[in-house]
Amino acid sequence: MKKTLKQNKENAIAFYKMAYYGNPKKAVELYVGAKYIQHNPLVGDGTQPFIDYFNRMATEYPDKSIEFRRSVAEGDLVALHTHQIWPDNEEYVTMDFFRFDANGKIVEHWDSMQQIPKTSANNNTMY
């Protein structure tokens, strides 16, 4: 089970990175199962809307970047905590959850994004 958790974390990061940096079709081919359930309201259900969304993001925002700060795996879920920088230095903290099937393929996704504010009531980072 530990090897599967480690592999699922590695695959979730590879999938996200590949799609984010402009190759969502290959990411889907390598890492997604027969069915892909999407919970992000900005992206349609299934693999083709996912591919279309990330192709559009690559075209519209070619200079965006992502840093993976944490990955946590439990059962068939992997959670990723990221720092993203978009044009005009807009920074976001994201948390993505991926569910894997028995074959180690991603079959479901949830996420939450928050723009990092310029000021904070405490001295802690969002990471």
Side-chain angles (χ1 to χ4, degrees):
M1 183 66 150
K2 283 187 180 184
K3 185 175 182 186
T4 302
L5 293 178
K6 182 178 185 294
Q7 189 64 55
N8 284 353
K9 286 196 307 186
E10 291 171 1
N11 288 349
I13 291 169
F15 168 73
Y16 199 156
K17 196 180 286 188
M18 190 176 290
Y20 189 89
Y21 285 121
N23 202 345
K25 187 175 189 299
K26 184 175 180 185
V28 165
E29 290 168 1
L30 292 174
Y31 300 106
V32 173
K35 185 176 182 181
Y36 183 72
I37 301 166
Q38 178 63 259
H39 294 276
N40 180 324
L42 301 177
V43 183
D45 220 14
T47 57
Q48 193 57 53
F50 172 87
I51 292 167
D52 294 344
Y53 175 82
F54 275 97
N55 279 335
R56 192 174 84 248
M57 291 299 103
T59 300
E60 292 178 11
Y61 307 103
D63 297 327
K64 66 189 179 308
S65 68
I66 188 169
E67 181 182 345
F68 295 86
R69 296 293 184 104
R70 289 183 184 81
S71 61
V72 178
E74 178 180 282
D76 61 357
L77 296 174
V78 170
L80 300 179
H81 191 201
T82 72
H83 177 219
Q84 297 185 24
I85 302 175
W86 288 72
D88 299 324
N89 285 321
E90 288 188 6
E91 295 185 70
Y92 291 85
V93 58
T94 68
M95 290 177 229
D96 290 82
F97 290 82
F98 299 93
R99 183 172 62 83
F100 285 76
D101 66 14
N103 298 315
K105 299 293 184 176
I106 296 168
V107 294
E108 196 163 7
H109 170 256
W110 302 259
D111 66 352
S112 180
M113 290 182 70
Q114 179 182 355
Q115 190 166 11
I116 297 174
K118 302 290 183 215
T119 62
S120 174
N122 62 62
N123 292 325
N124 305 316
T125 69
M126 296 184 75
Y127 301 101

